[in-house]
Coordinates of all heavy atoms in Angstrom, one line a residue:
D77 N -36.7 11.2 -6.4 CA -35.8 10.7 -7.5 C -35.9 11.6 -8.7 O -34.9 11.9 -9.4 CB -36.0 9.3 -7.8 CG -35.5 8.3 -6.7 OD1 -35.1 8.8 -5.6 OD2 -35.6 7.1 -6.9
E78 N -37.1 12.0 -9.0 CA -37.4 12.8 -10.2 C -36.7 14.1 -10.1 O -36.1 14.6 -11.1 CB -38.9 13.0 -10.4 CG -39.3 13.8 -11.6 CD -40.8 14.0 -11.8 OE1 -41.5 13.2 -11.2 OE2 -41.2 14.9 -12.6
D79 N -36.7 14.7 -8.9 CA -36.0 16.0 -8.7 C -34.5 15.8 -8.8 O -33.8 16.7 -9.3 CB -36.4 16.6 -7.3 CG -37.9 17.1 -7.3 OD1 -38.4 17.5 -8.4 OD2 -38.5 17.2 -6.3
F80 N -34.0 14.7 -8.3 CA -32.6 14.4 -8.4 C -32.2 14.3 -9.9 O -31.2 14.9 -10.3 CB -32.2 13.1 -7.7 CG -31.8 13.2 -6.3 CD1 -32.5 12.8 -5.3 CD2 -30.5 13.6 -6.1 CE1 -32.1 12.9 -4.0 CE2 -30.0 13.7 -4.8 CZ -30.8 13.3 -3.7
R81 N -33.0 13.7 -10.7 CA -32.8 13.5 -12.1 C -32.8 14.9 -12.8 O -31.9 15.1 -13.7 CB -33.8 12.6 -12.7 CG -33.7 11.1 -12.2 CD -32.6 10.3 -12.8 NE -32.7 10.1 -14.2 CZ -31.7 10.1 -15.1 NH1 -30.5 10.3 -14.7 NH2 -31.9 9.8 -16.4
T82 N -33.7 15.7 -12.4 CA -33.8 17.1 -13.0 C -32.5 17.8 -12.7 O -32.0 18.7 -13.6 CB -34.9 17.8 -12.4 OG1 -36.1 17.1 -12.7 CG2 -35.1 19.2 -13.0
C83 N -31.8 17.5 -11.6 CA -30.5 18.2 -11.3 C -29.3 17.5 -12.0 O -28.2 18.0 -11.8 CB -30.3 18.2 -9.8 SG -31.4 19.3 -8.8
G84 N -29.6 16.4 -12.7 CA -28.5 15.8 -13.4 C -27.9 14.6 -12.8 O -26.8 14.2 -13.2
V85 N -28.5 14.1 -11.7 CA -28.0 12.9 -11.0 C -28.5 11.6 -11.6 O -29.7 11.5 -11.8 CB -28.3 13.0 -9.5 CG1 -27.6 11.9 -8.7 CG2 -27.9 14.3 -8.9
S86 N -27.6 10.7 -11.9 CA -28.0 9.4 -12.5 C -28.7 8.6 -11.4 O -28.6 8.8 -10.2 CB -26.7 8.6 -12.9 OG -26.0 8.2 -11.8
R87 N -29.5 7.6 -11.9 CA -30.3 6.7 -11.0 C -29.4 6.0 -10.1 O -29.7 5.9 -8.9 CB -31.1 5.7 -11.9 CG -32.3 6.3 -12.6 CD -33.1 5.2 -13.2 NE -34.3 5.8 -13.9 CZ -34.3 6.3 -15.1 NH1 -33.2 6.3 -15.8 NH2 -35.4 6.9 -15.6
Q88 N -28.3 5.6 -10.5 CA -27.3 4.8 -9.7 C -26.8 5.7 -8.6 O -26.8 5.3 -7.4 CB -26.2 4.3 -10.5 CG -25.2 3.3 -9.8 CD -24.2 2.8 -10.7 OE1 -23.5 3.5 -11.4 NE2 -24.0 1.5 -10.7
K89 N -26.4 6.9 -8.9 CA -25.9 7.8 -7.9 C -26.9 8.3 -6.9 O -26.7 8.6 -5.7 CB -25.1 9.0 -8.5 CG -23.8 8.5 -9.1 CD -23.0 9.6 -9.7 CE -21.7 9.1 -10.3 NZ -20.9 10.1 -10.9
I90 N -28.2 8.4 -7.4 CA -29.3 8.7 -6.5 C -29.4 7.7 -5.4 O -29.5 8.0 -4.2 CB -30.7 8.8 -7.2 CG1 -30.7 10.0 -8.2 CG2 -31.8 9.0 -6.2 CD1 -31.8 9.9 -9.2
K91 N -29.3 6.4 -5.8 CA -29.3 5.3 -4.9 C -28.2 5.4 -3.9 O -28.4 5.2 -2.7 CB -29.3 4.0 -5.6 CG -29.5 2.8 -4.8 CD -29.4 1.5 -5.6 CE -30.4 1.4 -6.7 NZ -30.3 0.1 -7.5
Y92 N -27.0 5.7 -4.4 CA -25.8 5.8 -3.5 C -25.9 6.9 -2.5 O -25.6 6.7 -1.3 CB -24.5 6.0 -4.3 CG -24.2 4.9 -5.3 CD1 -23.2 5.1 -6.3 CD2 -24.7 3.6 -5.2 CE1 -22.9 4.1 -7.1 CE2 -24.4 2.6 -6.0 CZ -23.4 2.8 -7.0 OH -23.1 1.9 -7.9
I93 N -26.4 8.0 -2.9 CA -26.5 9.2 -2.0 C -27.6 8.9 -0.9 O -27.4 9.2 0.3 CB -26.9 10.5 -2.8 CG1 -25.7 10.9 -3.7 CG2 -27.4 11.6 -1.9 CD1 -26.1 11.9 -4.7
K94 N -28.7 8.2 -1.3 CA -29.7 7.9 -0.3 C -29.3 6.8 0.6 O -29.6 6.8 1.8 CB -31.0 7.6 -1.1 CG -31.6 8.8 -1.7 CD -33.1 8.6 -2.2 CE -33.7 9.9 -2.6 NZ -35.1 9.8 -3.0
C95 N -28.5 5.9 0.1 CA -27.9 4.9 1.0 C -27.0 5.5 2.1 O -27.1 5.1 3.3 CB -27.1 3.8 0.2 SG -28.1 2.6 -0.7
L96 N -26.2 6.5 1.7 CA -25.4 7.2 2.7 C -26.3 7.9 3.7 O -26.0 7.8 4.9 CB -24.5 8.2 1.9 CG -23.7 9.1 2.8 CD1 -22.7 8.4 3.7 CD2 -22.9 10.1 1.9
A97 N -27.3 8.6 3.2 CA -28.2 9.4 4.1 C -28.8 8.4 5.1 O -28.9 8.7 6.3 CB -29.2 10.1 3.3
E98 N -29.3 7.3 4.6 CA -30.0 6.3 5.5 C -29.0 5.8 6.5 O -29.3 5.6 7.7 CB -30.5 5.2 4.6 CG -31.8 5.5 3.9 CD -32.2 4.5 2.8 OE1 -31.4 3.5 2.6 OE2 -33.2 4.7 2.2
A99 N -27.7 5.5 6.1 CA -26.7 4.9 7.0 C -26.5 5.9 8.2 O -26.3 5.5 9.3 CB -25.4 4.6 6.3
I100 N -26.5 7.2 7.9 CA -26.2 8.2 8.9 C -27.4 8.3 9.8 O -27.3 8.3 11.1 CB -25.9 9.6 8.2 CG1 -24.6 9.5 7.5 CG2 -26.0 10.7 9.3 CD1 -24.4 10.7 6.5
L101 N -28.6 8.3 9.3 CA -29.8 8.4 10.1 C -30.0 7.2 11.0 O -30.5 7.3 12.1 CB -31.0 8.7 9.2 CG -31.1 10.1 8.6 CD1 -32.3 10.2 7.6 CD2 -31.1 11.2 9.6
E102 N -29.7 6.0 10.4 CA -29.8 4.8 11.2 C -28.7 4.6 12.2 O -28.7 3.6 12.9 CB -29.9 3.6 10.2 CG -31.2 3.6 9.4 CD -31.1 2.6 8.2 OE1 -30.1 2.0 8.0 OE2 -32.1 2.5 7.4
K103 N -27.7 5.5 12.1 CA -26.5 5.4 13.0 C -25.7 4.2 12.8 O -25.0 3.7 13.7 CB -27.0 5.6 14.5 CG -27.7 6.8 14.8 CD -27.9 7.1 16.3 CE -28.8 8.2 16.6 NZ -28.4 9.5 16.0
S104 N -25.7 3.7 11.6 CA -24.8 2.6 11.3 C -23.4 3.1 10.9 O -22.4 2.4 10.9 CB -25.3 1.7 10.1 OG -25.6 2.5 9.0
I105 N -23.3 4.5 10.7 CA -22.0 5.1 10.7 C -22.1 6.5 11.3 O -23.1 7.2 11.3 CB -21.6 5.3 9.2 CG1 -20.1 5.7 9.2 CG2 -22.4 6.3 8.4 CD1 -19.4 5.4 7.9
D106 N -21.0 6.8 12.0 CA -20.9 8.1 12.7 C -19.8 8.9 12.0 O -18.6 8.6 12.3 CB -20.7 7.9 14.2 CG -20.5 9.3 14.9 OD1 -20.7 10.3 14.3 OD2 -20.1 9.2 16.1
L107 N -20.1 9.8 11.1 CA -19.1 10.5 10.3 C -18.2 11.3 11.2 O -17.0 11.5 11.0 CB -19.7 11.4 9.2 CG -20.5 10.6 8.1 CD1 -20.9 11.6 7.1 CD2 -19.6 9.5 7.5
D108 N -18.7 11.9 12.3 CA -18.0 12.7 13.2 C -16.8 12.0 13.9 O -15.8 12.6 14.2 CB -18.8 13.4 14.3 CG -19.8 14.4 13.7 OD1 -19.5 14.9 12.6 OD2 -20.8 14.7 14.3
S109 N -17.0 10.7 14.1 CA -16.0 9.9 14.8 C -14.9 9.5 13.9 O -13.8 9.0 14.4 CB -16.7 8.6 15.4 OG -17.0 7.7 14.4
L110 N -15.0 9.6 12.6 CA -14.0 9.1 11.7 C -12.6 9.8 11.8 O -11.6 9.2 11.6 CB -14.5 9.1 10.2 CG -15.7 8.3 9.9 CD1 -16.0 8.4 8.4 CD2 -15.5 6.8 10.3
A111 N -12.7 11.0 12.2 CA -11.4 11.8 12.3 C -10.5 11.3 13.4 O -9.3 11.5 13.3 CB -11.8 13.3 12.6
L112 N -11.1 10.5 14.3 CA -10.3 10.0 15.4 C -9.7 8.6 15.1 O -9.0 8.1 16.0 CB -11.1 10.0 16.7 CG -11.8 11.3 17.1 CD1 -12.7 11.1 18.3 CD2 -10.7 12.4 17.4
K113 N -10.1 8.1 14.0 CA -9.7 6.7 13.7 C -8.6 6.6 12.6 O -8.5 7.4 11.8 CB -11.0 5.9 13.2 CG -12.1 5.9 14.3 CD -13.4 5.2 13.8 CE -14.4 5.2 14.9 NZ -15.7 4.7 14.5
P114 N -7.9 5.5 12.7 CA -6.8 5.2 11.7 C -7.5 5.0 10.3 O -8.7 4.6 10.2 CB -6.1 4.0 12.2 CG -7.0 3.3 13.1 CD -7.9 4.4 13.7
A115 N -6.7 5.2 9.3 CA -7.2 5.1 7.9 C -7.9 3.8 7.6 O -9.0 3.8 7.0 CB -6.1 5.4 6.9
E116 N -7.3 2.7 8.0 CA -7.9 1.4 7.7 C -9.2 1.2 8.4 O -10.1 0.5 7.8 CB -6.9 0.3 7.9 CG -5.8 0.1 6.9 CD -6.4 0.2 5.5 OE1 -7.3 -0.5 5.1 OE2 -5.9 1.1 4.7
K117 N -9.4 1.7 9.6 CA -10.7 1.6 10.3 C -11.7 2.4 9.6 O -12.9 2.0 9.5 CB -10.5 2.0 11.8 CG -11.8 1.9 12.6 CD -12.2 0.5 12.7 CE -13.5 0.4 13.6 NZ -14.1 -1.0 13.5
V118 N -11.3 3.6 9.1 CA -12.3 4.5 8.4 C -12.7 3.7 7.1 O -13.9 3.7 6.8 CB -11.6 5.8 8.0 CG1 -12.5 6.6 7.1 CG2 -11.3 6.6 9.2
R119 N -11.8 3.1 6.4 CA -12.1 2.3 5.2 C -13.1 1.2 5.5 O -14.0 1.0 4.8 CB -10.8 1.8 4.6 CG -11.0 1.2 3.2 CD -9.7 0.7 2.6 NE -8.6 1.7 2.6 CZ -8.5 2.7 1.7 NH1 -9.3 2.8 0.7 NH2 -7.5 3.5 1.8
E120 N -12.8 0.5 6.6 CA -13.7 -0.6 7.0 C -15.1 -0.2 7.2 O -16.1 -0.9 6.8 CB -13.2 -1.3 8.3 CG -12.0 -2.2 8.1 CD -11.5 -2.6 9.5 OE1 -12.3 -2.6 10.5 OE2 -10.3 -3.0 9.6

Side-chain angles (χ1 to χ4, degrees):
D77 287 8
E78 184 179 341
D79 287 335
F80 266 108
R81 295 284 293 144
T82 300
C83 291
V85 185
S86 69
R87 286 187 178 85
Q88 188 176 49
K89 289 183 179 179
I90 295 167
K91 187 183 297 182
Y92 295 165
I93 290 166
K94 290 194 171 184
C95 282
L96 172 62
E98 286 168 355
I100 292 167
L101 291 175
E102 292 167 0
K103 301 191 186 309
S104 55
I105 191 159
D106 176 8
L107 296 184
D108 291 339
S109 73
L110 297 183
L112 305 173
K113 297 176 180 177
E116 282 314 306
K117 182 62 178 171
V118 173
R119 192 179 306 278
E120 283 174 20

